[in-house]
């Protein structure tokens, strides 16, 4: 049977992708950001997951204002990196485990999570930047080391799904994955965050104390974290900090007791606090 | 209109269903600039390009004058308006420098020093606003 072995929380700041794509990660500004992912890349190599279930958000790329699904599951064969206005990132297309994705789609709906099924979808930095930071440089003509099942969450138009809903969706995703009959190792990613506000007069807000408490809760008290209100996210972590509900989907798919094997936190990357955590499911 | 719980947060516009409705055509115009051919057409003749998007007069003026904060007040969302900024060669950080009124350099400096503190930035009363 398939098995979720670990969860990864990780920011997706577009400028991190640009730094990798233009080869400036050694510069003073970027060095501390990437230093914190060294251990993560070694860990990824060792885990060598067959499949990554990647929870992310689209930035009006695949879904502009015409269509705003709260949860959309990628079920197509592969997903091309999108042109977000400055050319597509020079990274390989993302290949799906299509059979497992179909199984998950069916299982989720029968478990009363009525997701949208996407058979054609481009993916933006929200998905490819976390892959890049965790795998390191992968050339455009190469392949990502793992298959990827994308789950896209609306966090652009308020309200995003509640933390509680996300946490429970994570549990349903786990049931779906672990009822898939092939013996596969799966790592689930929850991406986005941490505190940041990109817009209007309060732009630039960073709340490191809050972020660090959130990382603690990820390890020690996920149920507590699932009860954080939208108002608290908006006020304490900035209008775009609400992306962190996506980490709760990842956390819901893990055991209540996990082992934190790595954590990284740095301010700033462009307008954003970069946060990262690796949690292994205790055997 | 009934006050929303997040209306008390200073310097913040929450892009909710009301804003989304109001800003629909504005945002669809902005996102069209994701593609080079559309940027070329827009840059050739802004007025003519905008004719295809039935936005309000106010929104149209705000686009032409690049009033970044007003665009948000009129229903624009940052992930959309940032495409207009990108067309003008303004990245996210520089756009933030403009929206905050701080200017690009002092905004960047603030971010390097750890960003805008949450202290004094939770409630409009702390900004001397209602």
């Amino acid at each position: 049977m398939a098995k979720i072995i670990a969860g990864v929380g990780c920011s997706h700041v577009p400028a991190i992708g640009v730094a990798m794509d233009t080869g400036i990660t050694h510069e003073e500004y970027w060095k501390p950001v990437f230093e914190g992912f060294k251990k993560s890349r070694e860990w990824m190599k060792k885990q060598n997951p067959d499949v990554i279930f990647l929870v992310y958000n689209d930035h009006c790329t695949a879904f502009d204002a015409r269509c705003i699904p709260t949860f959309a599951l990628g079920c197509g064969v592969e997903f091309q990196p999108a042109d977000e206005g400055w050319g597509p990132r020079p990274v390989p297309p993302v290949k799906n485990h299509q059979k497992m994705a179909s199984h998950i789609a069916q299982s989720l709906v029968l478990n009363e999570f009525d997701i949208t099924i996407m058979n054609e979808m481009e993916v933006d930095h929200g998905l490819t930047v976390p892959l890049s930071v965790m795998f390191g440089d992968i050339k455009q003509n190469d392949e990502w080391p793992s298959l990827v099942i994308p789950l896209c969450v609306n966090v652009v138009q308020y309200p995003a799904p509640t933390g509680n809903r996300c946490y429970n969706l994570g549990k349903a995703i786990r049931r779906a994955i672990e009822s898939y009959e092939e013996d596969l190792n799966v790592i689930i990613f929850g991406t986005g965050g941490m505190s940041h506000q990109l817009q209007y007069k309060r732009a630039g807000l960073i709340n490191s104390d809050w972020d660090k408490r959130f990382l603690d809760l990820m390890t020690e008290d996920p149920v507590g974290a699932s009860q954080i209100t939208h108002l608290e996210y908006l006020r304490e972590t900035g209008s775009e900090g609400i992306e962190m509900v996506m980490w709760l989907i990842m956390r819901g798919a893990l055991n209540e007791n996990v082992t934190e094997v790595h954590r990284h936190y740095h301010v700033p990357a462009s307008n954003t606090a970069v946060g990262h955590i690796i949690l292994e499911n205790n055997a | 209109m009934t006050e929303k719980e997040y209306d008390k947060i200073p310097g913040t516009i929450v892009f909710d269903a009301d804003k989304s409705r109001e800003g629909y055509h504005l945002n669809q115009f902005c996102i069209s600039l994701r593609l080079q051919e559309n940027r070329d057409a827009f840059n050739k003749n802004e007025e003519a390009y905008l004719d295809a998007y039935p936005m309000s007069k106010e929104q149209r003026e705000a686009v032409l004058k690049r009033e970044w904060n007003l665009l948000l007040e009129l229903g624009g969302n940052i992930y959309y308006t940032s495409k207009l900024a990108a067309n003008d060669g303004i990245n996210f950080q520089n756009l933030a420098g403009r929206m905050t009124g701080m200017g690009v350099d002092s905004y960047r400096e603030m971010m390097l020093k750890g960003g805008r503190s949450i202290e004094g930035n939770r409630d409009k009363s702390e900004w001397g606003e209602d």
Side-chain angles (χ1 to χ4, degrees):
Chain A
M1 303 299 273
K3 200 170 171 239
I4 296 182
I5 54 173
V8 168
C10 180
S11 302
H12 64 216
V13 192
I16 292 180
V18 176
M20 287 182 72
D21 300 342
T22 54
I24 55 165
T25 58
H26 59 279
E27 288 182 2
E28 278 312 304
Y29 183 89
W30 289 110
K31 233 171 155 174
V33 174
F34 289 97
E35 200 64 34
F37 288 103
K38 260 191 183 161
K39 184 177 169 178
S40 317
R41 291 175 183 180
E42 286 162 19
W43 178 86
M44 278 301 280
K45 262 198 194 128
K46 224 170 99 196
Q47 304 299 318
N48 191 25
D50 302 294
V51 177
I52 292 171
F53 188 93
L54 206 156
V55 183
Y56 78 107
N57 75 281
D58 176 83
H59 302 77
C60 321
T61 309
F63 304 104
D64 61 35
R66 284 175 300 177
C67 176
I68 307 171
T70 295
F71 298 115
L73 186 71
C75 292
V77 179
E78 63 174 35
F79 311 97
Q80 293 292 336
D83 181 355
E84 298 177 57
W86 40 88
R89 288 196 60 213
V91 291
V94 175
K95 295 200 169 136
N96 197 355
H97 191 306
Q98 225 187 346
K99 228 175 134 186
M100 187 191 248
S102 312
H103 167 82
I104 294 171
Q106 186 160 323
S107 172
L108 287 179
V109 176
L110 292 175
N111 275 288
E112 301 182 342
F113 284 90
D114 310 317
I115 44 119
T116 300
I117 291 168
M118 297 301 294
N119 286 319
E120 305 263 352
M121 181 168 79
E122 290 190 315
V123 292
D124 69 17
H125 71 271
L127 184 132
T128 62
V129 165
L131 285 179
S132 291
V133 292
M134 292 303 288
F135 281 124
D137 288 307
I138 306 285
K139 295 207 170 46
Q140 202 163 7
N141 316 328
D142 287 345
E143 288 196 354
W144 294 108
S146 305
L147 299 172
V148 177
I149 301 177
L151 177 76
C152 181
V153 182
N154 164 51
V155 295
V156 172
Q157 178 170 323
Y158 183 90
T162 64
N164 190 56
R165 183 73 173 154
C166 288
Y167 188 65
N168 288 326
L169 173 59
K171 289 182 183 297
I173 289 167
R174 180 175 195 173
R175 279 199 296 277
I177 289 175
E178 300 200 336
S179 62
Y180 186 72
E181 57 193 14
E182 225 179 311
D183 285 327
L184 297 171
N185 282 334
V186 180
I187 293 180
I188 182 165
F189 282 26
T191 64
M194 299 190 80
S195 59
H196 66 305
Q197 175 153 337
L198 302 176
Q199 52 105 2
Y200 214 49
K201 299 170 192 167
R202 200 177 67 142
L205 185 95
I206 299 286
N207 192 342
S208 302
D209 290 341
W210 196 99
D211 287 340
K212 287 172 187 164
R213 265 200 309 280
F214 186 80
L215 290 169
D216 291 343
L217 290 178
M218 279 292 107
T219 306
E220 294 156 13
D221 183 13
V223 175
S226 74
Q227 300 307 305
I228 296 167
T229 63
H230 277 6
L231 181 62
E232 179 170 344
Y233 282 115
L234 291 171
R235 190 187 57 225
E236 299 295 320
T237 77
S239 47
E240 279 64 55
I242 203 161
E243 289 173 357
M244 279 182 272
V245 295
M246 294 188 289
W247 291 43
L248 284 155
I249 298 176
M250 172 272 286
R251 190 60 184 88
L254 303 179
N255 294 344
E256 192 134 346
N257 289 312
V258 291
T259 305
E260 180 179 329
V261 294
H262 183 53
R263 181 192 289 212
H264 170 43
Y265 186 78
H266 176 76
V267 178
S270 186
N271 302 293
T272 307
V274 176
H276 169 47
I277 200 163
I278 298 178
L279 304 170
E280 286 182 1
N281 253 344
N282 292 330
Chain B
M1 205 193 303
T2 346
E3 191 169 323
K4 295 168 178 165
E5 58 175 4
Y6 41 80
D7 284 347
K8 286 196 181 320
I9 305 170
T12 303
I13 291 175
V14 176
F15 184 69
D16 60 13
D18 285 327
K19 284 281 170 213
S20 176
R21 187 184 65 245
E22 192 186 342
Y24 181 70
H25 295 293
L26 166 62
N27 287 324
Q28 288 303 94
F29 149 70
C30 289
I31 204 68
S32 75
L33 301 180
R34 185 161 77 81
L35 303 177
Q36 185 66 51
E37 54 176 311
N38 294 341
R39 290 198 293 274
D40 291 344
F42 175 67
N43 291 328
K44 212 170 127 198
N45 187 340
E46 296 197 358
E47 295 269 7
Y49 189 88
L50 288 171
D51 287 343
Y53 295 89
M55 59 181 92
S56 74
K57 223 167 139 187
E58 241 184 323
Q59 289 170 330
R60 188 183 166 106
E61 277 304 296
V63 170
L64 291 169
K65 292 186 179 150
R66 306 297 198 268
E67 293 187 60
W68 303 110
N69 282 344
L70 185 57
L71 284 169
L72 301 177
E73 290 161 19
L74 298 175
N77 170 270
I78 188 65
Y79 292 117
Y80 293 89
T81 58
S82 61
K83 303 294 181 193
L84 176 61
N87 175 70
D88 292 3
I90 303 168
N91 67 22
F92 261 107
Q93 190 162 65
N94 295 348
L95 183 56
R98 291 168 194 237
M99 289 182 295
T100 55
M102 299 175 69
V104 172
D105 291 337
S106 34
Y107 181 85
R108 189 182 158 85
E109 193 59 30
M110 174 182 80
M111 293 317 297
L112 282 171
K113 286 182 177 150
R116 184 187 306 282
S117 167
I118 184 66
E119 298 311 327
N121 291 311
R122 288 189 171 92
D123 193 280
K124 279 187 175 162
S125 64
E126 296 173 294
W127 283 31
E129 297 175 2
D130 287 335

